[in-house]
Amino acid sequence: MRFEYFAAPDDETAALTIDGGEIDGAVASHVVDPASVLGQLERLLGGPRGDDGLRSAQLVAESPDGARLLIRLSNHLVTLFGMVRPTTLDDVVKHWSLSRRFRRAEPEDLHAFAAGLHELCKGPGKRVYCRATADESELAAVMAPAATVPASAPDATDANPDPVEPKPLPRRR
């Protein structure tokens, strides 16, 4: 997935980016998933401990082909991260980078992303959004035709379904 974070005044303006065109001033990442990784950042900044991250982001729009999602970051997260002082941003990123989700990310890339997101969160009167775009390989896997299931195969409600039935996509963790 490719995640592009940007600021916009409202949901309607942000939804205009669902077509996949360039977004001015966007901060991009392949590892900072708004529904889970930003939840970790919110907890680090003093957000709710029992939250699984899904309160940190809300779906606003989806492209007709399902290749792109538009997600609004919570006002709480934006406010918390926008209040981080530049002198403590390094410490925040250092602690955030301890997450197992970042084990393949370069520390410099995470710091550059965090600095860019921090600037977006400091902007007055705007909301922060993320456009998540599926990679071509992810789209190909989803769009591939399902295997033909014989008429005598058990249906999805059976306790032991046929292994050729397509499985749902796993939730990113």
Side-chain angles (χ1 to χ4, degrees), residues 28-109:
S29 173
H30 283 283
V31 295
V32 184
D33 183 325
S36 59
V37 178
L38 287 183
Q40 294 172 340
L41 177 62
E42 187 172 7
R43 285 188 299 278
L44 180 65
L45 295 171
R49 296 282 176 216
D51 183 15
D52 64 1
L54 297 178
R55 289 188 215 164
S56 301
Q58 181 179 5
L59 183 64
V60 173
E62 181 176 351
S63 64
D65 62 358
R68 287 174 300 284
L69 303 175
L70 182 66
I71 300 156
R72 180 179 3 99
L73 276 57
S74 73
N75 290 337
H76 188 248
L77 172 62
V78 171
T79 300
L80 284 174
F81 198 52
M83 291 182 352
V84 170
R85 294 180 186 203
T87 55
T88 59
L89 185 60
D90 286 340
D91 289 335
V92 170
V93 173
K94 179 181 170 185
H95 286 89
W96 193 28
S97 70
L98 297 176
S99 168
R100 62 183 170 87
R101 296 175 192 276
F102 295 127
R103 61 182 159 229
R104 284 183 252 148
E106 294 295 325
E108 300 82 28
D109 293 343

Side-chain angles (χ1 to χ4, degrees), residues 9 55 113 116 137 172:
R55 289 188 215 164
F113 170 81
S137 61
R172 290 182 162 247

Side-chain angles (χ1 to χ4, degrees), residues 137-173:
S137 61
E138 293 171 318
L139 288 174
V142 172
M143 300 305 283
T148 306
V149 178
S152 63
D155 68 1
T157 59
D158 288 344
N160 197 5
D162 191 328
V164 296
E165 280 292 315
K167 295 180 180 173
L169 294 175
R171 181 174 176 199
R172 290 182 162 247
R173 293 194 178 235

